[in-house]
Amino acid sequence: MKQKSLNPFSLFTKNHHYTEPVIHARRSWKKRCPQFSFSKTVLALSLLFLFIPLFVIIFYSFNASKDTTFSGVSLVWYQKLIFDSQPLWQALFNSMLVAFSASLVATILGTLAAIGISWYRFLGKGYIQTISFLPMVLPEVIMGVSLLIFFSGIKLSLGLFTIFIAHTTFCLPFVYLMVSARIDEFDYSIIEASHDLGATETQTLFLVIIPAIMPGIVSGFMMSVTMSLEDYVITALVSGPGSTTLPLYVYSMIRFGVSPVINSLSFVLILAICVITFVLRKGLKSFASAR
């Protein structure tokens, strides 16, 4: 009987079948000697770059001293935030009012625009799709100056209403983009089924289409709120007397030195955003599973 010769290179071929002890030995070696991963290293460095400033803010919000020298744990800045910062709370209220109202209007208009542009054919459709992304790519200075010239041309007094219009304008493309991405994955047979069952266009819109694209709508709304709360350049150009928002107020405080009250407010906002994100995440999961 002829014996087959063993190919020494067969150990490195893809078709070679390892025995069970060899497989366990390879796995244990990988666990003891983890390989270097460039992508994981970049991810870790990026997370550190993003979160270290937040931890620094939280750390100094409990500092008893006003400067950067740590002199003990204290809640004095939280006490001043709650009881001695009326202008700061007024600026936060203005920011919240503008952010939620502008985001709500931008979400409604952006959702309807995404549905109409995606499902209907009309003259100038490609032109509208192109110019709808201009507020996203244009510098904020150009957006702010153009809106300021427009408000001055129609003799509209600068204030919270002009800030509301400006924020609605630059938040609208973000909602349109997110809802459009959700519509691209939509199953059109559901609409045909609703029409076969006798549903009207309005019933199909509110009972079929909107519930199906609700995650995209909620994402667009939350992004609009975030963009509105953190905007400074456009807000500074179109704001007027008595319409100070939180970014404008914080910038005016920083010019005279960073107050630890801002650190305390930042920590409170971080906690609030984490709670809202957690609740929305659970709610969207429950909504998706119910569908």
Side-chain angles (χ1 to χ4, degrees):
M1 185 174 180
K2 187 177 181 181
Q3 185 178 3
K4 293 183 179 179
S5 60
L6 179 63
N7 184 6
F9 298 99
S10 61
L11 296 174
F12 303 97
T13 58
K14 295 182 179 179
N15 296 328
H16 182 75
H17 298 285
Y18 294 106
T19 60
E20 195 69 21
V22 174
I23 294 176
H24 287 293
R26 288 169 59 88
R27 289 177 179 174
S28 61
W29 180 82
K30 287 184 178 180
K31 290 180 180 180
R32 290 195 305 267
C33 302
Q35 296 180 350
F36 173 78
S37 176
F38 178 76
S39 59
K40 291 182 180 180
T41 304
V42 173
L43 176 62
L45 293 176
S46 301
L47 292 177
L48 288 175
F49 179 78
L50 290 174
F51 287 101
I52 283 180
L54 299 181
F55 291 124
V56 171
I57 289 176
I58 296 172
F59 175 77
Y60 280 107
S61 67
F62 296 98
N63 186 14
S65 176
K66 189 175 182 180
D67 53 17
T68 57
T69 303
F70 187 77
S71 58
V73 179
S74 175
L75 298 176
V76 61
W77 305 116
Y78 289 92
Q79 181 182 357
K80 290 187 177 182
L81 172 66
I82 297 174
F83 300 106
D84 300 330
S85 302
Q86 181 62 31
L88 180 61
W89 288 110
Q90 182 62 43
L92 179 61
F93 174 77
N94 292 338
S95 293
M96 291 293 183
L97 179 63
V98 172
F100 281 96
S101 59
S103 300
L104 181 61
V105 175
T107 301
I108 295 174
L109 296 178
T111 301
L112 296 177
I115 294 174
I117 293 176
S118 299
W119 286 340
Y120 295 98
R121 294 182 180 180
F122 51 88
L123 185 63
K125 177 179 177 179
Y127 176 74
I128 293 177
Q129 286 178 322
T130 302
I131 64 173
S132 61
F133 294 104
L134 283 180
M136 297 177 59
V137 297
L138 287 177
E140 290 188 347
V141 175
I142 297 178
M143 280 286 300
V145 171
S146 60
L147 288 170
L148 178 61
I149 295 173
F150 172 73
F151 295 145
S152 300
I154 62 175
K155 308 299 181 182
L156 186 62
S157 301
L158 299 180
L160 285 179
F161 184 66
T162 54
I163 298 176
F164 161 77
I165 296 176
H167 286 204
T168 304
T169 302
F170 71 76
C171 287
L172 184 59
F174 293 96
V175 179
Y176 169 76
L177 181 64
M178 290 196 165
V179 177
S180 298
R182 185 71 180 180
I183 291 176
D184 291 339
E185 301 176 356
F186 191 81
D187 187 5
Y188 291 90
S189 61
I190 301 177
I191 301 178
E192 297 176 357
S194 66
H195 290 165
D196 293 338
L197 294 174
T200 61
E201 290 286 341
T202 304
Q203 291 174 336
T204 303
L205 175 64
F206 288 101
L207 299 178
V208 178
I209 299 175
I210 291 182
I213 62 175
M214 185 58 68
I217 297 175
V218 175
S219 300
F221 176 78
M222 295 305 298
M223 175 168 281
S224 299
V225 172
T226 304
M227 297 288 295
S228 178
L229 285 175
E230 60 89 23
D231 182 75
Y232 172 78
V233 177
I234 297 178
T235 306
L237 291 172
V238 299
S239 62
S243 59
T244 302
T245 59
L246 184 62
L248 300 180
Y249 186 82
V250 170
Y251 179 75
S252 64
M253 292 181 64
I254 290 178
R255 288 186 301 175
F256 302 101
V258 179
S259 174
V261 177
I262 301 299
N263 299 334
S264 304
L265 179 63
S266 301
F267 183 46
V268 172
L269 292 178
I270 290 171
L271 287 179
I273 292 172
C274 290
V275 171
I276 293 174
T277 304
F278 178 78
V279 172
L280 285 177
R281 185 171 179 267
K282 292 294 184 180
L284 288 177
K285 280 188 174 181
S286 302
F287 179 81
S289 61
R291 299 295 297 174

